[in-house]
Amino acid sequence: MTTLKARLKDDLTTAMKARDELRSSTLRLTLTAVAKEEVAGTSARELSDDEVLKVIAKEAKKRREAAEAFDKGGRAESAARELAEGEILDAYLPKQLSDDELAGIVAEAVEQARAAGAEGPRAMGAVMKIVNPKVAGLADGGRVAAAVKQRLAG
């Protein structure tokens, strides 16, 4: 079992013993998502820590989107619960890049793409190929794309 998955299971046990309903239900749903990912595809396999992190990031993103939808629908209580679940999951994710750090990485990638002959808005794909491996798990894809577009336009 991977160390991150084991940590999730240990934290679930602790939360259940403490009767922390929010934390235990959030961790239970996340472990279910991990298990579902493990049996997806042609054969069952054990996920690596990186793959477990991707599942956790996907679950956290779902919580943020659901909170936004509940907020727009006037269901503040449900939105607050989704945000609280998202915060629990964020504790398992690596620290996100600040806007300045992301802008620096994007600027460097734009220069590399220009050196390779990619110019203007059509350079988006080339720049994203350079940026994505550097920021994987450290910044949301939409945020990265927006930063690249802004840099290429400016």
Side-chain angles (χ1 to χ4, degrees), residues 23-37:
R23 181 173 291 277
S24 60
S25 70
T26 302
L27 294 176
R28 200 176 275 124
L29 285 169
T30 304
L31 282 166
T32 300
V34 169
K36 188 176 178 183
E37 192 67 29

Side-chain angles (χ1 to χ4, degrees), residues 9-140:
K9 285 185 175 189
D10 291 344
D11 290 352
L12 172 60
T13 304
T14 304
M16 288 169 62
K17 286 179 182 173
R19 298 192 189 282
D20 184 343
E21 191 274 330
L22 177 70
R23 181 173 291 277
S24 60
S25 70
T26 302
L27 294 176
R28 200 176 275 124
L29 285 169
T30 304
L31 282 166
T32 300
V34 169
K36 188 176 178 183
E37 192 67 29
E38 286 178 333
V39 297
T42 54
S43 62
R45 69 198 197 327
E46 184 81 24
L47 294 182
S48 68
D49 272 350
D50 286 344
E51 291 170 315
V52 173
L53 266 179
K54 285 179 185 171
V55 172
I56 294 171
K58 193 164 60 173
E59 290 296 309
K61 184 178 180 187
K62 280 185 199 174
R63 301 307 190 288
R64 285 192 298 276
E65 290 170 351
E68 206 173 285
F70 280 134
D71 215 26
K72 286 181 183 171
R75 295 182 55 196
E77 195 175 297
S78 297
R81 178 170 173 104
E82 292 291 334
L83 286 173
E85 288 180 4
E87 286 175 15
I88 290 169
L89 294 176
D90 285 344
Y92 295 93
L93 298 172
K95 185 179 169 292
Q96 296 289 295
L97 291 173
S98 71
D99 289 339
D100 292 340
E101 292 169 324
L102 180 59
I105 292 170
V106 168
E108 192 178 296
V110 168
E111 292 307 315
Q112 286 178 9
R114 283 197 178 129
E119 278 292 326
R122 281 182 273 162
M124 180 85 178
V127 174
M128 290 298 285
K129 280 182 185 170
I130 298 168
V131 172
N132 278 336
K134 294 180 181 178
V135 300
L138 302 175
D140 184 53

